[in-house]
Amino acid sequence: MGKKVTVVGAGFYGSTTAQRLAEYDIFETVVLTDIIDGKPAGLALDINQSRSIEGFETKVVGVSTGPNGEGYEAIEGSDVVVVTAGLPRKPGMSRMDLLEVNAKIVRQVAENIAKYAPNAVVIVVSNPVDEMTALAQLATQFPKNRVFGQAGVLDTARFTNFIAEELNVPVKSVKALTLGSHGDTMVPVPSRCTVDGKPLSDLLPAEKIEELVVRTRNGGAEVVALLKTGSAYYAPSAAAARMAKAVAEDSGEVVPVCAWVDGEYGISGVYLGVEAELGATGIRKVVEDKLTDSELAGLKEAAEAVRAKQADVADL
């Protein structure tokens, strides 16, 4: 124990992430921050009151932060900081529509993390995540292995769910993978998808797989359109919390994340969705695995699309 994790942003995504992290019972403290006065403290009080029912000891601390970094001293000594701050999507909005407004928020958060938790591993989930991850690294000036983004775990989980439902099999029998960006240039990897060890392509026709790929790519938008007043948070928070757990436990788990790519797959100098081994230092290494020619072409295309946008964030 003795470990500390901070979740910045106490919206549905942030508060659910804080709850999941507390319920793992592997941290001494979960700090939840927000700019809304009283909200994080109220949520923390509520979660703490569930401890005896759910059987965990982790203490949740809620702190309101001010425009000039007031309150951020509470994050001091955090091993991991999950950044959920920013506006969620509304129906009809793309993730990219959030770029400018969320860039200002993420930059300010990142600067305060650098000041108060200089040794933390930072997991960015604010949208558009590929760009916000690049921005957080620039603003913190942390080594690139200590700043990465959450997308692939969530997209892969969505893909897994759709495959399991289509074939009416348990989700645990499905192994799936998505790489690339979190958005239009997402690259689901059907060649690495199996059901009970059998290749997905043996079980479903190519056009049905493509349908599931498209649904995965639009997975967030589908939820947003149904909710009408916000965006997904149960699956996203599960993904972010699982990544923070892998870091805290120095587990070496290999998962798809938005990581700095430097030569892998013939791609360099960009944050991109790839598989990586997670541990106490953040990204231990990017894991390169076999892709088909079309999957590799898709990944390279995603890299160029994201690279162009990441170049813009430096000025935001």
Side-chain angles (χ1 to χ4, degrees):
M1 287 289 273
K3 292 214 172 283
K4 181 172 179 176
V5 59
T6 291
V7 180
V8 179
F12 287 126
Y13 195 150
S15 56
T16 314
T17 302
Q19 178 193 357
R20 293 187 191 281
L21 290 168
E23 288 179 354
Y24 287 155
D25 209 20
I26 60 169
F27 298 96
E28 189 175 330
T29 314
V30 176
V31 178
L32 180 62
T33 77
D34 200 275
I35 55 169
I36 298 175
D37 189 40
K39 184 179 185 183
L43 291 167
L45 184 60
D46 194 8
I47 295 170
N48 285 330
Q49 288 166 357
S50 75
R51 291 187 301 165
S52 62
I53 303 170
E54 285 298 315
F56 64 94
E57 293 294 339
T58 301
K59 190 86 193 287
V60 184
V61 177
V63 181
S64 297
T65 55
N68 303 310
E70 302 90 342
Y72 270 96
E73 59 278 0
I75 80 168
E76 208 169 324
S78 294
D79 299 281
V80 190
V81 179
V82 182
V83 180
T84 77
L87 299 183
R89 287 199 283 171
K90 294 187 170 64
M93 279 179 94
S94 76
R95 291 187 178 95
M96 292 313 298
D97 291 339
L98 299 170
L99 184 61
E100 267 186 53
V101 57
N102 283 354
K104 290 187 179 62
I105 296 168
V106 169
R107 179 179 284 282
Q108 193 202 11
V109 168
E111 286 166 354
N112 281 302
I113 293 169
K115 185 172 172 187
Y116 291 103
N119 299 314
V121 169
V122 179
I123 300 173
V124 180
V125 302
S126 310
N127 270 320
V129 71
D130 304 286
E131 290 72 23
M132 292 302 109
T133 303
L135 177 63
Q137 191 278 322
L138 286 168
T140 54
Q141 290 292 297
F142 285 2
K144 293 185 173 75
N145 60 292
R146 280 209 280 129
V147 182
F148 53 96
Q150 191 293 108
V153 176
L154 170 61
D155 295 329
T156 298
R158 285 173 170 159
F159 197 22
T160 301
N161 181 58
F162 296 148
I163 292 166
E165 288 190 337
E166 180 63 36
L167 290 169
N168 198 23
V169 296
V171 286
K172 69 170 179 291
S173 66
V174 179
K175 293 268 177 289
L177 180 64
T178 65
L179 304 174
S181 79
H182 190 45
D184 300 338
T185 48
M186 186 187 299
V187 185
V189 187
S191 73
R192 296 273 305 282
C193 297
T194 59
V195 179
D196 285 323
K198 293 187 205 74
L200 183 61
S201 51
D202 291 0
L203 302 169
L204 287 174
E207 56 275 17
K208 177 46 81 175
I209 295 174
E210 182 55 27
E211 239 174 75
L212 299 181
V213 163
V214 171
R215 193 176 176 196
T216 301
R217 198 172 280 138
N218 299 323
E222 186 179 351
V223 175
V224 168
L226 289 165
L227 291 176
K228 299 179 187 62
T229 55
S231 53
Y233 55 91
Y234 287 118
S237 66
R242 214 22 91 118
M243 288 164 64
K245 183 175 192 272
V247 172
E249 295 186 327
D250 196 20
S251 73
E253 196 180 342
V254 175
V255 293
V257 300
C258 177
W260 184 256
V261 179
D262 209 9
E264 295 86 1
Y265 296 110
I267 300 165
S268 282
V270 67
Y271 268 103
L272 187 65
V274 288
E275 286 180 288
E277 192 181 299
L278 300 185
T281 54
I283 305 279
R284 286 188 193 166
K285 65 171 187 229
V286 169
V287 176
E288 232 179 312
D289 220 319
K290 225 167 116 54
L291 298 178
T292 65
D293 290 349
S294 70
E295 288 160 357
L296 182 59
L299 190 60
K300 289 186 166 169
E301 193 183 311
E304 292 321 304
V306 171
R307 187 192 306 279
K309 304 250 173 40
Q310 286 178 5
D312 297 341
V313 299
D315 307 320
L316 292 175

